Structure formats: C-alpha cells, structure tokens
Amino acid sequence: MFRRAFWFTAGAAAGVWATTKVNRKLKKLTPESLAAQAADKAVEAGHRLKDFALDVKAGMTQREDELNDALGLHSDPDRPDNVTALPGPRRLRALENDKTNHRSNRSAVTYNRNEDH
C-alpha cells in the first residue's frame, strides 16, 4: 500500500513539475514576451553603444591633447570654444609658405556642351 502511494505521489509531483515547465516555456514564446525580450536586448545594445561612443570620445580627446602637446599647440582661453591656434612664429611661417591660389579662374576654361554629341 505504501509503495503504491509513494509512486502515485511521485508521478503526480512529476506531472505538476512538467506542466509548470511547459507553461513557463509557452509564456516565453508568446508574441508579447518575444517583443519585450527584443526591446530589452535593444535597450541593452543601446547602452553598450553609448558606452563605446563615450570611450571613443575620451580616447580621441586624450590623443588630441597628446598631439597638441607634441606639436606645441596650446588652447587659448580668449578664443571662443577653446579653438587651438599655432604659436605666432609657426603661424606666420605657415602663412608665408601657403602659395596656393584659392580663386578659381573659370573664364579661362570654356566648355561647349554641343561637342559631346
């Protein structure tokens, strides 16, 4: 008698456990649950992307400071937005060496569209 009661109780417990597991899996596969999981993953990916962008920005700022120190460029607090400029002698040399003509001479070049045909 006890043997039958034990196996009956064990079978009932196994059935309840299996039914509970199956119901939980089915609830996870409903469209609403899948949409919520996708939204959570998207939010998580957004946070990771934001952290990556902040790390890149910090690295860029650090590297820019290193390059400015190496080139002797220092930010001038009197300039708006902390714009960096070349020191006086270097700036003058750079302007003197700029031999390019920034104006385009459009009148010297004529183009006849009828010649394309």
Side-chain angles (χ1 to χ4, degrees), residues 39-49:
D40 290 342
K41 294 287 184 181
V43 168
E44 183 181 334
H47 288 303
R48 286 183 182 175
L49 187 62

Side-chain angles (χ1 to χ4, degrees), residues 21-39:
K21 279 281 241 197
V22 168
N23 284 335
R24 285 182 187 166
K25 289 290 182 184
L26 288 176
K27 285 181 183 177
K28 284 185 179 181
L29 295 176
T30 61
E32 295 84 15
S33 179
L34 292 175
Q37 289 176 10

Side-chain angles (χ1 to χ4, degrees), residues 52-90:
F52 175 72
L54 291 174
D55 288 344
V56 168
K57 186 174 181 181
M60 285 176 21
T61 303
Q62 179 183 359
R63 182 63 179 152
E64 185 177 357
D65 291 341
E66 291 172 2
L67 291 173
N68 285 341
D69 289 343
L71 294 173
L73 301 174
H74 302 287
S75 61
D76 187 5
D78 296 333
R79 298 187 117 190
D81 299 325
N82 284 335
V83 176
T84 58
L86 289 169
R90 282 190 183 177

